[in-house]
Amino acid sequence: MDFANARPNIFLLGFMGAGKTTIGKLLAAALGMHFVDLDDMIVDYHGCSINDIFSQHGEDTFRSFETQALDRVAQASNQVVSTGGGIVGRNENWPLMQRGGLTLFLECQWETIVQRLKESTDRPLVNQNSLQELNALYQLRLPLYCQADYVVQVDGLTPPEIVEAIKKLVLKD
Ligand code: S3P
């Protein structure tokens, strides 16, 4: 990918707790790009927390808000975008990310995700589902995440090491 001229967006994909926001901020700083968190965009735009959107309007409405936010963000370039873990579930989201951008899956083992999600209270799907149900969702989504242009294994690596691994991958093409 020609970063000198095109400055494509980098869309970080992965399950809840994979570290998309933490890595996204560091990666954006390291590459001199803007950082955007898609969930934060949705919250700001609709003036409502993700939990409230789910409880007041339902998941389908959230997914529509998510696609609309993705469409808006994809109009600009030079951004590292931390997406929500469910972005891969709607077919129409893929061309939005691929147009002028690349997708990168932060692959994280289930055991690591479970540890991180234990502390989570602001994720409706974590609040509403058992660990077994979340694991089923994780398994269901894995092949979708694997459609990304790049895959980086994050287990056992520090955030700076993950950023280095990503830089090597995306800057070499
Ligand atoms: C979701 C992940 C969340 C958020 C929403 C739904 C999902 O984002 O978009 O709660 O379906 O996996 P994070 O992956 O940033 O937690």
Side-chain angles (χ1 to χ4, degrees):
M1 188 63 79
D2 183 358
F3 270 79
N5 296 314
R7 307 302 287 175
N9 292 322
I10 301 177
F11 294 93
L12 297 182
L13 312 180
F15 204 72
M16 295 173 276
K20 299 176 298 270
T21 302
T22 304
I23 300 304
K25 285 179 182 165
L26 288 174
L27 183 66
L31 293 174
M33 297 170 77
H34 300 291
F35 172 74
V36 179
D37 184 290
L38 207 62
D39 277 347
D40 287 351
M41 261 184 80
I42 297 167
V43 169
D44 290 347
Y45 192 82
H46 296 280
C48 197
S49 72
I50 303 290
N51 264 327
D52 287 347
I53 296 172
F54 266 74
S55 64
Q56 291 169 20
H57 306 283
E59 180 168 352
D60 279 355
T61 299
F62 171 76
R63 296 299 167 200
S64 298
F65 289 174
E66 190 173 42
T67 299
Q68 288 159 13
L70 186 60
D71 194 22
R72 288 197 302 279
V73 87
Q75 314 282 331
S77 55
N78 195 29
Q79 308 164 103
V80 175
V81 184
S82 169
T83 64
I87 201 87
V88 293
R90 269 202 177 185
N91 286 340
E92 65 201 283
N93 292 339
W94 284 94
L96 293 176
M97 295 189 282
Q98 286 158 340
R99 197 180 51 210
L102 59 89
T103 50
L104 190 145
F105 171 32
L106 296 181
E107 184 165 26
C108 188
Q109 284 174 8
W110 175 246
E111 291 70 25
T112 310
I113 283 171
V114 171
Q115 289 310 314
R116 295 188 183 156
L117 294 187
K118 271 185 185 163
E119 309 295 323
S120 171
T121 54
D122 58 355
R123 292 181 170 101
L125 293 181
V126 174
N127 298 341
Q128 290 162 14
N129 290 285
S130 66
L131 269 188
Q132 204 180 355
E133 288 165 329
L134 287 173
N135 182 256
L137 188 61
Y138 172 85
Q139 301 296 342
L140 197 74
R141 285 179 179 171
L142 265 183
L144 301 174
Y145 294 133
C146 288
Q147 291 175 23
D149 299 313
Y150 300 96
V151 180
V152 173
Q153 308 272 346
V154 300
D155 295 278
L157 296 181
T158 63
E161 287 169 343
I162 297 167
V163 168
E164 273 314 302
I166 296 174
K167 277 174 66 182
K168 272 195 196 126
L169 263 184
V170 302
L171 294 177
K172 82 171 163 46
D173 289 346

